[in-house]
Coordinates of all heavy atoms in Angstrom, one line a residue:
L1307 N -14.2 -21.9 -14.3 CA -14.4 -22.2 -15.7 C -14.6 -23.6 -15.9 O -13.6 -24.4 -15.8 CB -13.4 -21.6 -16.6 CG -13.6 -21.7 -18.0 CD1 -15.0 -21.2 -18.4 CD2 -12.4 -21.2 -18.9
Q1308 N -15.8 -24.1 -16.0 CA -16.1 -25.5 -16.4 C -16.0 -25.7 -17.9 O -16.8 -25.0 -18.6 CB -17.5 -25.9 -15.8 CG -17.8 -27.3 -16.1 CD -17.0 -28.3 -15.4 OE1 -16.7 -28.2 -14.2 NE2 -16.5 -29.3 -16.1
M1309 N -15.2 -26.5 -18.3 CA -15.0 -26.7 -19.7 C -15.3 -28.1 -20.1 O -14.7 -29.1 -19.6 CB -13.5 -26.4 -20.1 CG -13.1 -25.1 -19.8 SD -11.3 -24.6 -20.3 CE -10.4 -25.7 -19.4
N1310 N -16.3 -28.3 -20.8 CA -16.8 -29.6 -21.3 C -16.7 -29.8 -22.9 O -16.5 -28.8 -23.5 CB -18.2 -29.8 -21.0 CG -18.5 -29.8 -19.5 OD1 -17.7 -30.2 -18.6 ND2 -19.7 -29.4 -19.1
S1311 N -16.7 -31.0 -23.3 CA -16.7 -31.3 -24.7 C -15.4 -30.6 -25.4 O -15.5 -29.9 -26.3 CB -17.9 -30.8 -25.4 OG -19.0 -31.5 -24.9
L1312 N -14.2 -30.7 -24.7 CA -13.1 -29.9 -25.2 C -12.6 -30.5 -26.5 O -12.8 -31.7 -26.9 CB -12.0 -30.2 -24.0 CG -12.1 -29.3 -22.9 CD1 -11.3 -29.8 -21.7 CD2 -11.8 -27.8 -23.1
K1313 N -12.0 -29.6 -27.2 CA -11.5 -29.8 -28.6 C -10.1 -29.4 -28.6 O -9.5 -28.6 -27.9 CB -12.3 -28.9 -29.6 CG -13.8 -29.1 -29.6 CD -14.5 -28.1 -30.5 CE -16.0 -28.2 -30.4 NZ -16.6 -27.2 -31.5
P1314 N -9.3 -30.0 -29.6 CA -7.9 -29.7 -29.6 C -7.7 -28.2 -29.8 O -6.7 -27.6 -29.3 CB -7.5 -30.4 -30.9 CG -8.3 -31.7 -30.9 CD -9.7 -31.2 -30.4
E1315 N -8.6 -27.5 -30.6 CA -8.5 -26.0 -30.8 C -8.6 -25.3 -29.5 O -8.5 -24.0 -29.5 CB -9.5 -25.6 -31.8 CG -10.9 -26.0 -31.7 CD -11.2 -27.1 -32.4 OE1 -10.4 -28.1 -32.4 OE2 -12.3 -27.2 -33.0
D1316 N -9.0 -25.9 -28.3 CA -9.2 -25.3 -27.2 C -7.7 -25.2 -26.4 O -7.6 -24.5 -25.3 CB -10.1 -26.0 -26.2 CG -11.6 -25.9 -26.7 OD1 -12.0 -24.7 -27.2 OD2 -12.3 -26.9 -26.6
T1317 N -6.9 -25.8 -26.9 CA -5.5 -25.9 -26.4 C -4.9 -24.4 -26.3 O -4.9 -23.8 -27.3 CB -4.5 -26.8 -27.1 OG1 -5.0 -28.2 -27.1 CG2 -3.1 -26.6 -26.7
A1318 N -4.5 -24.0 -25.1 CA -4.0 -22.6 -24.9 C -3.6 -22.5 -23.4 O -3.9 -23.4 -22.7 CB -5.1 -21.7 -25.2
V1319 N -2.9 -21.3 -23.1 CA -2.8 -20.9 -21.8 C -4.0 -20.1 -21.4 O -4.3 -19.2 -22.2 CB -1.4 -20.2 -21.6 CG1 -1.4 -19.6 -20.2 CG2 -0.3 -21.0 -22.1
Y1320 N -4.7 -20.6 -20.4 CA -5.8 -19.8 -20.0 C -5.4 -18.9 -18.7 O -4.8 -19.3 -17.8 CB -6.9 -20.8 -19.5 CG -7.6 -21.5 -20.6 CD1 -6.9 -22.3 -21.5 CD2 -8.8 -21.2 -20.9 CE1 -7.5 -22.9 -22.6 CE2 -9.5 -21.7 -22.1 CZ -8.8 -22.6 -22.8 OH -9.5 -23.3 -23.9
Y1321 N -6.0 -17.6 -18.9 CA -5.7 -16.6 -17.9 C -7.1 -16.1 -17.3 O -8.0 -15.9 -18.0 CB -5.0 -15.3 -18.5 CG -3.7 -15.6 -19.1 CD1 -3.5 -16.1 -20.5 CD2 -2.5 -15.6 -18.4 CE1 -2.4 -16.3 -21.0 CE2 -1.3 -15.8 -19.0 CZ -1.1 -16.2 -20.3 OH 0.1 -16.5 -20.9
C1322 N -7.2 -15.8 -16.0 CA -8.2 -15.1 -15.5 C -7.8 -13.7 -15.2 O -6.6 -13.4 -15.1 CB -8.7 -15.7 -14.1 SG -7.7 -15.5 -12.7
A1323 N -8.8 -12.7 -15.3 CA -8.5 -11.4 -15.3 C -9.6 -10.6 -14.5 O -10.7 -11.0 -14.5 CB -8.3 -10.7 -16.6
A1324 N -9.2 -9.5 -13.9 CA -10.1 -8.7 -13.1 C -10.4 -7.3 -13.7 O -9.3 -6.7 -14.0 CB -9.8 -8.7 -11.7
D1325 N -11.5 -6.9 -13.9 CA -11.8 -5.6 -14.4 C -12.5 -4.7 -13.3 O -13.5 -5.0 -12.8 CB -12.8 -5.7 -15.5 CG -13.4 -4.4 -16.1 OD1 -13.0 -3.3 -15.5 OD2 -14.1 -4.4 -17.1
H1326 N -11.8 -3.7 -13.0 CA -12.1 -2.7 -11.8 C -12.8 -1.5 -12.2 O -12.8 -0.5 -11.5 CB -10.9 -2.4 -10.9 CG -11.4 -2.0 -9.5 ND1 -10.6 -1.1 -8.8 CD2 -12.5 -2.2 -8.8 CE1 -11.2 -0.9 -7.6 NE2 -12.3 -1.5 -7.7
R1327 N -13.3 -1.4 -13.5 CA -14.0 -0.2 -13.9 C -15.2 -0.1 -13.1 O -15.8 -0.9 -12.5 CB -14.3 -0.4 -15.5 CG -13.1 -0.2 -16.3 CD -13.5 -0.4 -17.7 NE -14.1 -1.7 -18.0 CZ -15.0 -1.9 -18.9 NH1 -15.5 -1.0 -19.7 NH2 -15.6 -3.1 -19.1
P1328 N -15.8 1.3 -13.1 CA -17.0 1.6 -12.3 C -18.1 0.7 -12.6 O -18.3 0.2 -13.7 CB -17.3 3.0 -12.7 CG -16.1 3.5 -13.2 CD -15.3 2.5 -13.9
S1329 N -19.1 0.6 -11.7 CA -20.2 -0.3 -11.8 C -21.1 0.3 -12.9 O -21.1 1.5 -13.2 CB -21.1 -0.3 -10.4 OG -21.4 0.9 -10.1
G1330 N -21.8 -0.5 -13.5 CA -22.8 -0.1 -14.7 C -22.1 -0.5 -16.0 O -22.9 -0.4 -17.1
V1331 N -20.9 -0.7 -16.1 CA -20.2 -1.1 -17.5 C -20.6 -2.5 -17.8 O -20.8 -3.4 -16.8 CB -18.7 -0.8 -17.4 CG1 -18.4 0.6 -17.0 CG2 -18.0 -1.8 -16.4
V1332 N -20.6 -2.8 -19.0 CA -20.9 -4.2 -19.5 C -19.6 -4.9 -19.4 O -18.4 -4.5 -19.3 CB -21.4 -4.1 -20.9 CG1 -22.7 -3.4 -20.9 CG2 -20.4 -3.5 -21.9
I1333 N -19.7 -6.3 -19.5 CA -18.6 -7.1 -19.5 C -17.6 -6.9 -20.8 O -18.3 -6.9 -21.8 CB -19.1 -8.6 -19.5 CG1 -19.8 -8.9 -18.2 CG2 -17.8 -9.5 -19.6 CD1 -20.5 -10.4 -18.2

């Protein structure tokens, strides 16, 4: 995750996550 032009409101804990639902589903 490339984050540019960061703002104070971007302050947070950032988590990555994996979705293992069947192929063909949308994000």
Side-chain angles (χ1 to χ4, degrees):
L1307 179 60
Q1308 178 66 44
M1309 304 185 294
N1310 298 329
S1311 302
L1312 282 161
K1313 304 176 181 180
E1315 51 262 44
D1316 294 317
T1317 295
V1319 178
Y1320 283 71
Y1321 299 90
C1322 71
D1325 174 358
H1326 197 208
R1327 289 178 299 147
S1329 60
V1331 299
V1332 299
I1333 298 169

